[in-house]
Amino acid sequence: MATNVGNPTVNIAIFVVFVLITLGIVIKVAAKNSSAADFYAGGRAFTGPQNGIAISGDYLSAASFLGIAGAIAVNGYDGFLYSIGFLVAWLVALLLVAELLRNTGRFTMADVLSFRLKQRPVRTAAAISTLVVCFFYLVAQMAGAGGLVSLLLGIDGKVAQSVVIAVVGVIMVIYVLVGGMKGTTWVQIVKAVLLIIGAFVMTVWVLGKYGFNLSSLFQGAVDKAGSGAILNPMKQYGASSTSKIDFLSLSLALVLGTAGLPHVLMRFYTVPTSKAARKSVEWAIWLIGLFYLLTLVLGYGAAALVGADKIKAAPGGANSAAPLLAFELGGEILLGLISAVAFATILAVVAGLTITASASFAHDVYASVIKRGKVSADSEVKVARITALVIGAVAIIGGIFANGQNIAFLVALAFAIAASANLPTILYSLFWKRFNTRGALFSIYGGLISAVTLIIFSPVVSGKAVVAATGKSASMITDPSIDFHLFPLDNPGLVSIPLGFLLGYIGTITSREHNEAKYAEMEVRSLTGAGAEKATVEH
């Protein structure tokens, strides 16, 4: 099956050309990197529309393109609910977080949290939370890379797929080391444009096959599937009351997760003003909304033209739906182009995550906690670059373990952790005068530990039913004899998100610390921009 899809030589050639072009862009842009603000925040020199396109490039990850198209192709309506959740989430970011964060912070989420709280414990907690969320998100992208390449190059062996995941890791680290935030942003802009054009072309092509009639397309999907279940809600989540609660948990995580994702929050610092931050979110919402409408056609197109059985049998599983559809429509060349775009998607998102995680460690832990602020910008950036290397290695190992899982689903776990640990603290910090250090620590550590613990003891890791085709469990640990799951839901959001808010409240009211004066200063700054970080002047 794997070797029948397209021509590996064409696929590799198109991908290599893309990597060379983007590396050229990164090297050209990197020549202007002179300060820490350049490395972390692109000199705050991007316009609202540019940053909006880059945000959509950062956000439309392998989960959006490969994972959602696959989820719709296999589960129909239930798969589209990922699209809805991922898009609606931006309203939380737009209305509650974007402008205020841009005005209050410098480079990372911890800048905002520690503005009026005790610096060292809060920065440490925020950095740990950032690194954990980035790790889960990175693993999802790397797993996508492994599945995609095994499909394109006809590589079935685990060892060969692992080598491919390692190559992706190395390329992404080069982007970050050389280009910093500026280089990474330009890669994301190029990739977002390519991804939306690629998806648009495929959508028009699919609709053209059905006379530009959506009803005919849906009928084609029903005919191929042999039943109308693919159009009905609850195909995936309707089997039991547990799965319905699971669906609620997933929805909560998707909608509240975005405003707590560190790599999305960091993008708000790359623009000169809070107005530009708001404008960039508006651009992002339009572009992301358009793309998710296209995924509906791509998913049902794959269901109608390729068929769910063929998609599930492919080496990348559900993640192979979009490439298989491209091959069905336009043969080797379209497959090569779409796959290069999917690969570019993975590279750009992974680079964005890596720079966020390395900036968080260097800026929050090394400069502020270990060196207590007595550190030069040059040595801070040097530590960020070393951290990027370490993160690259960890992501490669994690990606090898998670290879074969549905990416949209893995990303939903990262969303659940972000919504449990980061969002309560950010909202309390911006809007609640009484909030204090103990509240922040309770909320971050409580949300983080509860979310991660529930994931470890959930059916995601062990104990899912055996898949008849492979004889293995559908969990990450594929051996059906190993089962230590105690928590019934796949996604922990329903329990861990309210717990994060509750612990933040309990921590705050049990502490005597007051910082109302500092809150007043923060409120003025967050709402008016007085005293906010300015754009660095180009030399």
Side-chain angles (χ1 to χ4, degrees):
M1 169 65 207
T3 45
N4 299 344
V5 182
N7 180 335
T9 319
V10 174
N11 297 338
I12 291 175
I14 293 174
F15 176 59
V16 168
V17 167
F18 175 83
V19 170
L20 291 175
I21 291 170
T22 46
L23 273 177
I25 294 171
V26 166
I27 290 165
K28 184 173 183 301
V29 169
K32 295 179 182 169
N33 270 356
S34 56
S35 68
D38 283 337
F39 185 80
Y40 291 140
R44 308 188 201 284
F46 288 97
T47 64
Q50 279 176 336
N51 193 42
I53 297 169
I55 285 178
S56 59
D58 209 343
Y59 194 70
L60 297 174
S61 61
S64 297
F65 186 41
L66 302 174
I68 293 178
I72 294 172
V74 173
N75 294 316
Y77 184 93
D78 284 11
F80 189 53
L81 293 165
Y82 278 106
S83 292
I84 309 273
F86 282 149
L87 178 61
V88 170
W90 275 100
L91 293 176
V92 181
L94 173 66
L95 298 174
L96 295 179
V97 174
E99 279 181 276
L100 306 177
L101 265 185
R102 168 63 192 87
N103 282 337
T104 315
R106 284 184 67 206
F107 300 135
T108 63
M109 177 181 85
D111 288 337
V112 178
L113 302 184
S114 63
F115 190 92
R116 63 190 182 102
L117 308 176
K118 288 176 186 161
Q119 289 273 337
R120 297 179 72 201
V122 172
R123 278 192 185 276
T124 307
I128 290 170
S129 166
T130 297
L131 290 168
V132 172
V133 173
C134 286
F135 171 72
F136 272 86
Y137 219 102
L138 273 169
V139 164
Q141 306 305 317
M142 295 303 229
L148 185 65
V149 174
S150 61
L151 178 77
L152 301 180
L153 309 186
I155 298 172
D156 261 347
K158 275 279 186 218
V159 177
Q161 286 183 22
S162 303
V163 170
V164 169
I165 290 175
V167 169
V168 173
V170 170
I171 297 172
M172 99 195 171
V173 169
I174 292 170
Y175 278 157
V176 173
L177 293 185
V178 175
M181 181 54 107
K182 220 176 248 181
T184 303
T185 301
W186 279 109
V187 171
Q188 284 163 345
I189 290 173
V190 170
K191 173 235 120 163
V193 172
L194 287 176
L195 180 62
I196 291 171
I197 290 173
F200 186 75
V201 168
M202 280 173 69
T203 300
V204 172
W205 203 322
V206 168
L207 287 174
K209 279 189 175 289
Y210 290 94
F212 290 95
N213 185 333
L214 264 179
S215 298
S216 305
L217 169 63
F218 292 152
Q219 188 58 50
V222 169
D223 294 343
K224 188 84 169 182
S227 84
I230 197 164
L231 296 181
N232 296 334
M234 296 296 155
K235 178 175 189 283
Q236 182 181 2
Y237 293 106
S240 65
S241 56
T242 306
S243 55
K244 285 176 182 162
I245 297 170
D246 209 355
F247 163 67
L248 192 64
S249 190
L250 171 73
S251 307
L252 198 64
L254 295 184
V255 171
L256 296 178
T258 297
L261 288 176
H263 65 293
V264 170
L265 299 176
M266 195 165 168
R267 291 232 60 91
F268 298 141
Y269 298 129
T270 62
V271 289
T273 63
S274 62
K275 189 178 173 191
R278 190 173 62 217
K279 181 57 89 185
S280 58
V281 177
E282 287 170 16
W283 269 76
I285 286 178
W286 280 106
L287 291 169
I288 291 164
L290 168 71
F291 181 81
Y292 284 146
L293 283 176
L294 302 180
T295 59
L296 183 65
V297 176
L298 295 181
Y300 276 113
L305 296 169
V306 182
D309 295 339
K310 192 174 174 186
I311 291 166
K312 285 189 216 164
N319 304 327
S320 310
L324 288 172
L325 175 63
F327 185 60
E328 197 71 33
L329 293 172
E332 287 176 6
I333 301 296
L334 185 63
L335 172 73
L337 287 169
I338 292 299
S339 303
V341 167
F343 229 89
T345 296
I346 291 169
L347 277 178
V349 173
V350 158
L353 286 163
T354 308
I355 195 161
T356 303
S358 58
S360 180
F361 180 81
H363 181 64
D364 297 329
V365 178
Y366 175 74
S368 302
V369 177
I370 298 172
K371 293 287 186 182
R372 295 175 182 259
K374 299 180 179 68
V375 62
S376 71
D378 288 349
S379 58
E380 190 180 312
V381 170
K382 190 174 168 190
V383 169
R385 290 192 157 123
I386 295 166
T387 312
L389 288 170
V390 176
I391 290 162
V394 172
I396 289 166
I397 295 163
I400 290 168
F401 272 103
N403 198 355
Q405 295 279 320
N406 183 321
I407 319 171
F409 171 70
L410 285 172
V411 164
L413 297 181
F415 272 68
I417 297 170
S420 308
N422 298 349
L423 185 68
T425 325
I426 291 169
L427 292 182
Y428 279 151
S429 196
L430 290 171
F431 296 108
W432 188 20
K433 189 184 287 188
R434 174 85 203 275
F435 191 56
N436 52 35
T437 306
R438 184 186 290 176
L441 297 180
F442 271 37
S443 162
I444 294 178
Y445 287 129
L448 186 65
I449 293 165
S450 64
V452 173
T453 308
L454 291 175
I455 288 171
I456 291 169
F457 291 107
S458 76
V460 175
V461 176
S462 71
K464 275 196 179 176
V466 174
V467 179
T470 58
K472 292 180 176 176
S473 165
S475 302
M476 280 188 190
I477 298 172
T478 52
D479 183 347
S481 64
I482 301 173
D483 179 4
F484 48 83
H485 91 276
L486 304 170
F487 181 65
L489 305 181
D490 280 3
N491 194 298
L494 195 61
V495 176
S496 59
I497 297 171
L499 192 63
F501 278 99
L502 178 66
L503 288 170
Y505 174 75
I506 292 171
T508 301
I509 59 168
T510 56
S511 166
R512 293 202 179 130
E513 180 195 349
H514 287 279
N515 49 34
E516 275 86 352
K518 200 75 176 143
Y519 173 74
E521 182 191 334
M522 180 175 172
E523 188 175 36
V524 170
R525 178 164 161 174
S526 67
L527 293 173
T528 65
E533 293 289 322
K534 299 287 184 281
T536 56
V537 181
E538 293 280 312
H539 301 296

